[in-house]
Amino acid sequence: AIGHVLYTGAASRSMGNVQPLYFHHGSGDFALAHNGNIVNADILKADLESRGSLFHSRSDAELLAHLIKKDNPDEPRIFSIIEALKQMEGAFVFLIMTKNRLYACRDKYGFHPLAIGKLGDGYVVASGTCAFDVLGAEYIRDVEPGEIVTIDHHGIRSQFYAETQRHAMCAMEYVYFARPDSDIEGCN
């Protein structure tokens, strides 16, 4: 399952922006949830619209969906995700869920947190480790900047989409967004 709990900005208060967003496509349906801001979103959106994309929300999650399907529609989805993420600049984490697979993606600077936990024979991913405590899951590790973690019946795999990665966590994650019972980058 994929879920999303986050307040929305004044400019995006409509039912069309409620996440996760679900997309139907001939190569397979998928859902997306996103936290963050894509600073080059207007440029990417204008390019996609000039190539025929129609947008139904103001969410950067929809932008990623169009990038995934426009650039490499016949290749395995991981390659399309990598190419799409390479085009995006900003602070973000994305979860992409297909029928058989979950992708957890973090921006190349690691501005927003994303952690992986183990629950029974499966895995969970959350922006706050406090979610693992509620579920009874065991924290494994953080998703690294520029990393895509793939979770499916084969287990958990990882690869990096960015040539350079660096830890540049936003201080607001610690003092405003995170709950006091969450650990971020190994720090409470």
Side-chain angles (χ1 to χ4, degrees):
I2 186 173
H4 189 274
V5 180
L6 184 69
Y7 69 88
T8 181
S12 61
R13 288 188 181 144
S14 79
M15 288 305 291
N17 293 317
V18 173
Q19 294 186 48
L21 298 179
Y22 189 71
F23 301 93
H24 301 283
H25 194 271
S27 65
D29 301 342
F30 61 101
L32 277 170
H34 153 263
N35 179 25
N37 292 299
I38 308 304
V39 296
N40 64 338
D42 291 341
I43 295 167
L44 293 172
K45 185 176 179 182
D47 176 60
L48 287 164
E49 286 176 333
S50 74
R51 295 190 284 151
S53 289
L54 300 173
F55 287 83
H56 301 281
S57 77
R58 298 183 73 172
S59 170
D60 290 341
E62 185 177 6
L63 178 63
L64 178 62
H66 285 276
L67 287 171
I68 290 170
K69 298 321 291 177
K70 278 287 186 200
D71 290 329
N72 301 301
D74 298 323
E75 291 184 0
R77 187 164 279 134
I78 187 66
F79 298 119
S80 298
I81 293 170
I82 289 169
E83 290 306 311
L85 292 172
K86 284 181 178 181
Q87 296 177 60
M88 299 178 122
E89 291 295 331
F92 57 82
V93 294
F94 283 100
L95 291 182
I96 305 163
M97 186 173 149
T98 67
K99 181 179 178 183
N100 299 311
R101 195 165 284 124
L102 178 72
Y103 302 95
C105 315
R106 191 172 179 197
D107 74 81
K108 62 186 172 185
Y109 302 109
F111 285 119
H112 292 296
L114 194 59
I116 305 166
K118 181 91 167 130
L119 181 62
D121 293 334
Y123 296 93
V124 292
V125 180
S127 58
T129 59
C130 62
F132 301 157
D133 298 334
V134 172
L135 295 171
E138 175 189 354
Y139 167 80
I140 296 176
R141 69 175 183 90
D142 291 310
V143 175
E144 293 296 319
E147 183 180 20
I148 301 172
V149 172
T150 304
I151 301 170
D152 60 16
H153 69 282
H154 297 294
I156 188 168
R157 298 178 307 285
S158 169
Q159 66 188 89
F160 289 86
Y161 69 89
E163 292 179 21
T164 59
Q165 309 92 27
R166 78 172 215 245
H167 288 267
M169 176 70 68
C170 175
M172 289 299 288
E173 293 291 341
Y174 294 101
V175 299
Y176 182 73
F177 294 115
R179 279 183 25 175
D181 55 342
S182 272
D183 294 331
I184 300 174
E185 299 288 333
C187 181
N188 186 282

